[in-house]
Amino acid sequence: MAEDKITEEEISNLVDRFYAKVQVDPEIGPIFNEKIEDWPAHLALLKNFWSTVMLTTGRYKGDPMMTHLQLPLEPSHFNRWLELFAETAKEVMAPNHAAIIITKSERIAGNFKAGIAYQRSNLSQPNL
């Protein structure tokens, strides 16, 4: 059913509202603000990412795992990100759409956390 499909407008609104919160969040804001020099360009990239993830548009051409591996992220940062993301999705989207994108965000965050943990465990192992 077409009404069950998340729209580009919803994605755009979610990304804008969510990252406005992220930028001022005391826990994760400093990490993002230190790394991102051009917020409008970054927001456009994130809209392409979520459009690709949720609508299979193929507009995002990047490697988000490698990008996140370069950040000083801890599990608590992912938890805070997910908390803010879910809160914002529920504020700006219909309940069924919010539930879909929140579930997807949790899977992505789980993959990123696992990738970071794997990389860190390999870096801490002595070469044999």
Side-chain angles (χ1 to χ4, degrees):
M1 294 193 273
E3 68 271 7
D4 287 340
K5 189 174 182 182
I6 292 172
T7 67
E8 292 283 355
E9 184 178 344
E10 286 177 299
I11 290 169
S12 180
N13 191 26
L14 173 61
V15 168
D16 286 339
R17 293 274 300 272
F18 170 66
Y19 280 97
K21 291 181 182 184
V22 166
Q23 290 177 65
V24 298
D25 185 77
E27 186 174 347
I28 61 175
I31 295 167
F32 284 88
N33 290 323
E34 182 177 319
K35 190 74 174 169
I36 298 165
E37 296 174 10
D38 183 349
W39 272 102
H42 191 65
L43 293 176
L45 181 73
L46 291 167
K47 290 171 186 179
N48 287 341
F49 171 79
W50 283 107
S51 175
T52 297
V53 168
M54 301 308 298
L55 305 175
T56 63
T57 59
R59 291 200 325 243
Y60 179 78
K61 308 287 188 218
D63 187 345
M65 178 66 79
M66 282 308 299
T67 300
H68 288 82
L69 286 173
Q70 298 168 30
L71 299 173
L73 296 172
E74 299 298 331
S76 65
H77 297 130
F78 284 97
N79 296 340
R80 181 62 180 151
W81 189 99
L82 287 167
E83 182 183 326
L84 283 176
F85 190 84
E87 172 188 292
T88 309
K90 291 173 185 174
E91 290 170 358
V92 303
M93 301 178 97
N96 60 329
H97 290 183
I100 293 166
I101 203 164
I102 289 167
T103 298
K104 184 64 86 169
S105 73
E106 290 168 348
R107 280 195 212 120
I108 292 168
N111 289 338
F112 285 0
K113 282 198 283 191
I116 289 169
Y118 178 78
Q119 183 201 41
R120 288 181 181 165
S121 71
N122 281 349
L123 290 175
S124 66
Q125 298 292 322
N127 291 334
L128 301 177

